[in-house]
Amino acid sequence: MRKMNLPNKLTIFRMILIVPFVLLLLGVSNEWGWFRWIFGGITGYVNYIALAIFIIASLTDLIDGKIARKYNLVTNFGKFMDPLADKLLVSAALIALVDLKRIPAWIVIVIISREFIISGFRLIASDNHVVIAASYWGKFKTTFQMVMVCLMIVDIPQLRLLTDVVMWIALLLTVVSLIDYLRKNRDVMAEQK
């Protein structure tokens, strides 16, 4: 059995980090008794610890891709699991934030639906041996979503207006990037007829 390479280990690590991230984010706010018993004295800092975990997990996404391309360590496992790990991290964060009433559920439904649509589209494209590159709109969307999640995790009242503005921009970019993606790659669907 072949040894797992570093980029794939980072992808797995990112997926593992989802568990403590969600437990910390939801633990204090939902007043889980066992959580307060374990973390008692640091409960005031838990949002910041959750934020640190989210940022570390997000950074592993940048690092694993760069390492894989630079050292020719791209694998089928990585091609499949890396985007899945990203979607799991962002979806887990957004769903937790809905539970904490920091973001409306309908916005999260739009964001997650976009990810499912694009994933399905990519599967169809790969069946036709077509590789679809990420667009600038998609990169802007990801950046604003990550900033939005970070602002919502720390939940600072003085930053509420900024958080709301970033949320609406992230939502707009989610829709625009989906439309752009489908428009540029409509030939992929045409081949299915």
Side-chain angles (χ1 to χ4, degrees):
M1 188 171 174
R2 285 176 53 190
K3 200 172 170 185
M4 186 176 283
N5 66 32
L6 180 59
N8 290 343
K9 285 179 182 176
L10 288 170
T11 297
I12 296 295
F13 179 61
R14 180 159 70 257
M15 294 174 80
I16 291 169
L17 285 178
I18 294 169
V19 175
F21 165 69
V22 170
L23 286 175
L24 285 168
L25 192 58
L26 294 179
V28 170
S29 301
N30 288 328
E31 299 184 5
W32 297 339
W34 63 267
F35 187 91
R36 291 202 179 273
W37 180 73
I38 294 171
F39 294 102
I42 63 162
T43 53
Y45 303 100
V46 169
N47 279 349
Y48 296 101
I49 298 168
L51 175 64
I53 293 171
F54 182 78
I55 290 171
I56 290 166
S58 299
L59 289 175
T60 64
D61 180 35
L62 291 174
I63 296 166
D64 67 6
K66 286 185 189 290
I67 293 171
R69 286 185 294 275
K70 184 173 181 180
Y71 297 102
N72 197 26
L73 296 172
V74 176
T75 63
N76 287 333
F77 177 87
K79 285 179 193 174
F80 177 75
M81 293 304 289
D82 182 61
L84 179 63
D86 300 340
K87 287 171 180 47
L88 286 173
L89 175 65
V90 173
S91 296
L94 292 171
I95 292 166
L97 290 167
V98 168
D99 187 60
L100 297 172
K101 297 178 177 37
R102 295 182 191 171
I103 186 170
W106 72 268
I107 291 177
V108 173
I109 291 168
V110 170
I111 291 171
I112 293 175
S113 296
R114 183 250 186 222
E115 298 308 323
F116 275 105
I117 292 166
I118 298 300
S119 294
F121 212 76
R122 280 205 164 116
L123 280 173
I124 293 167
S126 69
D127 279 350
N128 294 320
H129 309 291
V130 175
V131 176
I132 299 176
S135 70
Y136 285 111
W137 287 112
K139 290 175 183 176
F140 292 143
K141 177 265 312 175
T142 300
T143 301
F144 273 89
Q145 282 181 4
M146 293 300 186
V147 172
M148 174 190 76
V149 168
C150 290
L151 287 168
M152 288 180 176
I153 290 169
V154 293
D155 193 32
I156 298 171
Q158 293 84 351
L159 297 178
R160 192 69 41 83
L161 178 61
L162 175 64
T163 304
D164 287 347
V165 168
V166 171
M167 178 187 73
W168 289 110
I169 293 171
L171 178 64
L172 178 66
L173 289 172
T174 297
V175 173
V176 168
S177 66
L178 174 63
I179 293 167
D180 179 65
Y181 192 93
L182 296 176
R183 185 184 58 79
K184 284 181 179 171
N185 299 289
R186 60 185 173 272
D187 294 344
V188 171
M189 290 304 287
E191 291 174 20
Q192 296 305 304
K193 292 180 180 177

